[in-house]
Amino acid sequence: MTDKNANAPASPASGPDTNVLLPLAESLLKRAMAAGADAAEVILGESRSLEVSVREGALEDVERSEGRSAGLRVFIGKRMAGTSFSDLTDEGASLAVERAIAMARVAPEDPYCGLVEPDQLARTIPHIDLYEDMDWDAAALEAEALEMEAAGRAVEGVAMVASSGASLSASAAVIVTSTGFTGAKRGSMASRGIAAIAKSGETMERDYDQHSMRQRAALRSAAQLGRSAGERAVARLGAEKMTSGKMPVVFDERVATSFLGALLGAISGPSIARGTSFLRDKNGTQIFAEGIDIIEDPLKPWGHGSRAFDGEGIATRPRAIIEDGVLTGWLMNAASARQLGLPLTGHASANPGGPPGVSVSNLHLAPGERSRVELIADAGNGLLVTEMFGASLNSNTGDWSVGVAGHRIENGKITGAISESTVAGNMLDIFARLQPGNDLEFSGRINAPSVLVDALSVGGR
């Protein structure tokens, strides 16, 4: 059993509480301003987790973790410095402030750094349901993990279960700035995951399934996850290299989100400002087929990435990133917006003690009309990809390649397993030809249904 207690809160029985964190954050902000900062930002977070794993029908490990941490950014003119730390005692806070101020005095000037202007900050913050009280019962998590393991082992062809576990976590965070913004967020998460190993002769294959939701009751059942992982592992037995050539490829919903990740990286404000994006001249143009929509909903109740304000205090709102195939704009934080002379969009990601990045909230590719089975049937002869690894994307050109495993498609049906193969193409071409299925599930911050892309280059044998 592992117990990690990094500056833990005084009452471990209670969940993280923003009402407790806020006075601490305000006190740290006052220290920074009194020490000579022209402006400052404090992000203070608290987290708690409980993880249980089993192996071969017995408890393997229980890990509990509780802690608080802080991030401080200070500005002196156009110079910025920051630090993150977990020692929240008076001595620790004083040392962090002293170091941040000292670093800011000698930092190079950055014309684009700075907090968001007060008149642009969110003033009305809507409530979003993201947190439920949990029963922090290790025995219950152990029972779930054992049930999942047993379901996986019961699948014919499964030799063993490599890992099976269940976990609970809760977090709270507050952000306060010298420009007058105060924001707070609290969330919970429950997860189950299993990896199964199938064996045939001397050949072994591994696959997994997992599920995470903010509400424990919304999780897929332990038996369902165990059975799914076992069946997926067995289906990979006898894998061969795919025959090389150009062919249609169906990407399972587990991996189709990779295309959304490539899109987001290419339309982030910092990438556009640096000129390192294959979409840098595509704003307002058709990059997907007509009818394709990619939607962000930051206000979705119980959403994995929901947030009423971004990492710099800008109000978020639902929007279409892609509307009827057309790219509607870039994703901005304050620094990139200043550099490009464009308005803020509410996409800054908090980076305690460091400059904000860019991220989306809840994003999904809107589903099409065809089922996954119909996409496979329409592919005719091609490839179904269920796992990708070692992806390489040229951010300037969009050229992309990735190692894959999955299944051969013959005459519209799934046949033998494949591995040690590659798929390659250009993201501009892939976006233009991507066809979504209707099997969309909201099980993460970024979600997509299975997709079909024709005429991709496949390498194997």
Side-chain angles (χ1 to χ4, degrees), residues 12 33 43 49 53 95 113 235 254 268 292 297 305 312 366 395 414:
M33 297 302 292
I43 299 175
S49 66
S53 60
L95 181 61
C113 80
R254 289 204 298 181
S268 74
I292 299 293
D297 184 4
E312 294 178 306
S395 60
I414 295 174

Side-chain angles (χ1 to χ4, degrees), residues 190-261:
S191 303
R192 295 170 184 155
I194 178 172
I197 297 176
K199 185 176 182 181
S200 177
E202 297 301 314
T203 301
M204 302 178 74
E205 293 288 349
R206 174 186 177 124
D207 213 319
Y208 72 96
D209 205 351
Q210 62 84 33
H211 199 217
S212 297
M213 297 295 283
R214 290 196 177 274
Q215 294 175 289
R216 194 170 181 179
L219 284 174
R220 290 201 291 269
S221 73
Q224 180 184 2
L225 289 167
R227 184 168 55 251
S228 171
E231 290 172 349
R232 286 173 169 175
V234 171
R236 295 180 63 161
L237 289 170
E240 301 175 341
K241 290 185 178 182
M242 187 66 181
T243 303
S244 299
K246 279 207 166 186
M247 63 191 71
V249 179
V250 176
F251 295 88
D252 183 79
E253 51 92 14
R254 289 204 298 181
V255 299
T257 54
S258 296
F259 298 122
L260 299 187

Side-chain angles (χ1 to χ4, degrees), residues 205 207 232 234-242 249-252 254-255 372 382-389 403-409 414-423:
E205 293 288 349
D207 213 319
R232 286 173 169 175
V234 171
R236 295 180 63 161
L237 289 170
E240 301 175 341
K241 290 185 178 182
M242 187 66 181
V249 179
V250 176
F251 295 88
D252 183 79
R254 289 204 298 181
V255 299
R372 180 175 181 268
L383 172 63
L384 168 65
V385 173
T386 58
E387 184 177 7
M388 301 197 299
F389 41 87
V404 300
H407 299 274
R408 186 178 289 105
I409 300 173
I414 295 174
T415 55
I418 68 100
S419 63
E420 300 181 36
S421 301
T422 60
V423 173

Side-chain angles (χ1 to χ4, degrees), residues 86-101:
S86 58
D87 181 359
L88 302 183
T89 63
D90 282 346
E91 183 180 354
S94 295
L95 181 61
V97 169
E98 180 183 333
R99 287 177 173 174
I101 293 292

